[in-house]
Amino acid sequence: MYDMYDPAQLRTFLAVAQTLSFTRAARRLGVRQSTVSQHVRRLEEATGRQLFTRDTHRVDLTVDGEAMLGFARTILAAHERASAFFTGTRLRGRLRFGASEDFVLTRLPEILQSFRRDHPEVELELTVELSGTLHQQLAAGRLDLVLAKRRTGDTHGELVWQDALIWIGAPRLRIDPDRPVPLILFPPPGITRARALEVLEGQGRSWRVACTSGSLSGLIAAAHAGLGVMAHSRGLVPPGLAPVAARAGLPELGEVDFVLLHGRRRDGAQPAADALAAAILAGGDRLIRPPGGLGAIGGRDGA
C-alpha cells in the first residue's frame, strides 16, 4: 500500500500526465526514461489499474489515470505541508512571479491561492505580460520565476507541458484563400505572433493585421466579432472560439512549450520560487483547457 502513495512515483505520474511523454517527463525530472517507466509501472501495480494507454507514437491518460490526477495532487500537497511543518521551515520574503497572458482564463489563480494559503509570509508579486516580454524582464533581473511559452529552438526552462499551436476564430468565420489572411495578434515580442507570421511567410500566403492587442481579452473579443484568426494553444482555446478547418489552407503552426524559468538567484526569493515552481508542476494539468467539443472553421464554403 505504501508504494501506491510513494511521492516519487506520484511526481513521475504527474510529469507524464502533463507532458504526455515518458521522454519529456524524464527530462523534466532529471532522471532516465527507464526510471519513469519503472515508477509508472509500480504505481499501476499498486493501484491495480492501468493509468496510461501508450504506443510508439502517443501517450494518453485512461479514465483511472484522470481520477489519479486529483488524488496525486492532494497527496503531494499534504506531503509538502507535513514536511514543512515538521522541519519547521516557513518561507518568507518577496517573490516576483511572471505569468504569460495565456493563463488569464485558466485555473492558475487557484494554484496561486493555494500557495498563498500554505506560505502566508511570502509576499507574492504577480506580473502578467506577453511571453517575450517576460523573458526580457527575467533576463534583466526584474523577475524571480516565469511561467511562459518558450521561444522556438530554445532549450532553457523546466517543461510544464507541450501543446500544438492552432489557428482559431469565430465558428462561422469564412477564410477566403484568395485574399490576405486577417490576423488577430499580440504586439511584438509576442511568441505566437512571430510564429504566425513566420509560417505564413514560409507558405507565401499574404496576410493583414486585423487587430493588435496586448490583452488576451482584447484578442478574444476581436475573434468573437469575426475580425480574423489567431494562433493559440490547442489546450487553451477560449470558450466560443473554434479551430480553423484544414480546408482553409492555413499552414501548420507546430508545437509550443510552456516552461518555468528561474531568474538570478536571490537568497530571499529562491526557496519561495522553488516552492511555487513545485506547486505549478504538481498542478500543471489544471492549466490546460480540454479542446473537446469544439467545432471548426471552414474555408469559403463556410461550415
Side-chain angles (χ1 to χ4, degrees), residues 13-245:
F13 164 76
L14 283 177
V16 176
Q18 292 161 8
T19 62
L20 295 180
S21 166
F22 281 58
T23 302
R24 290 193 290 267
R27 193 178 303 128
R28 177 204 282 190
L29 297 168
V31 300
R32 295 181 178 179
Q33 186 171 334
S34 60
T35 301
V36 172
S37 299
Q38 182 185 64
H39 283 183
V40 170
R41 184 175 65 254
R42 288 181 175 176
L43 189 60
E44 289 182 326
E45 290 172 353
T47 59
R49 307 290 181 88
Q50 184 178 0
L51 303 177
F52 295 102
T53 58
R54 46 199 182 272
D55 55 32
T56 56
H57 302 291
R58 185 177 178 85
V59 175
D60 284 304
L61 282 163
T62 63
V63 173
D64 289 319
E66 293 279 359
M68 178 56 79
L69 281 174
F71 292 128
R73 286 195 299 263
T74 300
I75 293 167
L76 288 174
H79 182 269
E80 295 297 330
R81 286 195 296 270
S83 297
F85 179 85
F86 287 109
T87 57
T89 57
R90 291 184 66 85
L91 296 179
R92 295 178 174 83
R94 176 178 171 230
L95 174 59
R96 303 168 302 174
F97 173 57
S100 76
E101 278 276 342
D102 301 88
F103 302 105
V104 168
L105 300 179
T106 72
R107 298 171 69 181
L108 178 62
E110 295 178 21
I111 295 175
L112 297 181
Q113 184 181 41
S114 296
F115 176 81
R116 291 284 298 121
R117 183 186 63 242
D118 294 340
H119 307 288
E121 296 181 31
V122 173
E123 181 184 341
L124 182 62
E125 180 181 304
L126 175 64
T127 297
V128 178
E129 262 291 1
L130 304 180
S131 289
T133 301
L134 292 175
H135 283 277
Q136 294 172 353
Q137 294 182 355
L138 189 74
R142 295 198 291 271
L143 293 171
D144 303 305
L145 182 70
V146 160
L147 174 61
K149 293 190 290 287
R150 180 160 56 191
R151 298 184 181 98
T152 302
D154 197 349
T155 59
H156 295 92
E158 194 170 15
L159 181 66
V160 179
W161 85 86
Q162 186 179 71
D163 200 6
L165 278 179
I166 60 172
W167 299 99
I168 64 171
R172 296 188 178 183
L173 178 68
R174 296 185 178 186
I175 303 299
D176 189 334
D178 298 324
R179 302 184 64 182
V181 179
L183 296 178
I184 297 171
L185 301 169
F186 282 119
I191 289 175
T192 51
R193 174 194 178 98
R195 182 77 63 83
L197 299 184
E198 176 186 351
V199 299
L200 287 171
E201 294 287 352
Q203 191 190 54
R205 187 81 178 262
S206 62
W207 53 270
R208 65 179 178 84
V209 177
C211 173
T212 301
S213 175
S215 163
L216 179 59
S217 298
L219 298 185
I220 291 172
H224 277 299
L227 298 188
V229 297
M230 56 189 286
H232 204 65
S233 167
R234 179 185 295 276
L236 298 173
V237 175
L241 299 180
V244 176

Side-chain angles (χ1 to χ4, degrees), residues 265-276:
R265 299 185 72 89
R266 292 192 305 133
D267 291 339
Q270 193 59 44
D274 290 343
L276 180 54

